[in-house]
Amino acid sequence: RVRNATQTMPHSYQVTAVALSVTDNHTVYTGGIDNDIHAWDLRSHQKKVYTMKGHGDTITYLKVNPKGSHLLSNSMDGTLRSWDVRPFVSGGKRHCKTFLGGRHNAEKGLLNCDWSGDGMMVTGGSADRIVHIWDEYSEEELYFLPGHKGCVNCVAFHPKENVIASGSSDKTIFVGELAQ
């Protein structure tokens, strides 16, 4: 069975990341090689609601937190950033925090990022072969987990348990429990 797209949102540059809102069912977030994150309202065909600027290179992944209030982005500029995506933001300042420590390299892979199930920790893929995990509130790096022999392309928190999984270019997947 074949189905066509219900809507198309044209971009001026290639799109490398997309995320759907978990709270309102009508917002789509996109990122690409223009280094910006765009919020689109599906109810009004092709309407860009707002743009979030701050990254210095291509956006590689977007992830909405479990409560739907913030968006996490990974970028080739070597940062993860959190953004306030609630409908009304005082002062219009959507950028909240920047998490430093992860790396991108010349391979320019589309490295992902993730929120813990309770939204208290964030993690992102990194070319330095390390799984980095930060405290979402303080931006402090809580865990520095070596072991992979290649770029960490993807990381995922278990939705309810204190467990993380990572996949790497070295063809291995690590699953481990984090300290309480």
Side-chain angles (χ1 to χ4, degrees), residues 4 30 61 105 146:
N4 293 324
T30 60
Y61 203 85
N105 62 10

Side-chain angles (χ1 to χ4, degrees), residues 147-159:
H148 282 293
K149 294 178 177 65
C151 177
V152 178
N153 299 311
C154 50
V155 287
F157 282 104
H158 187 280

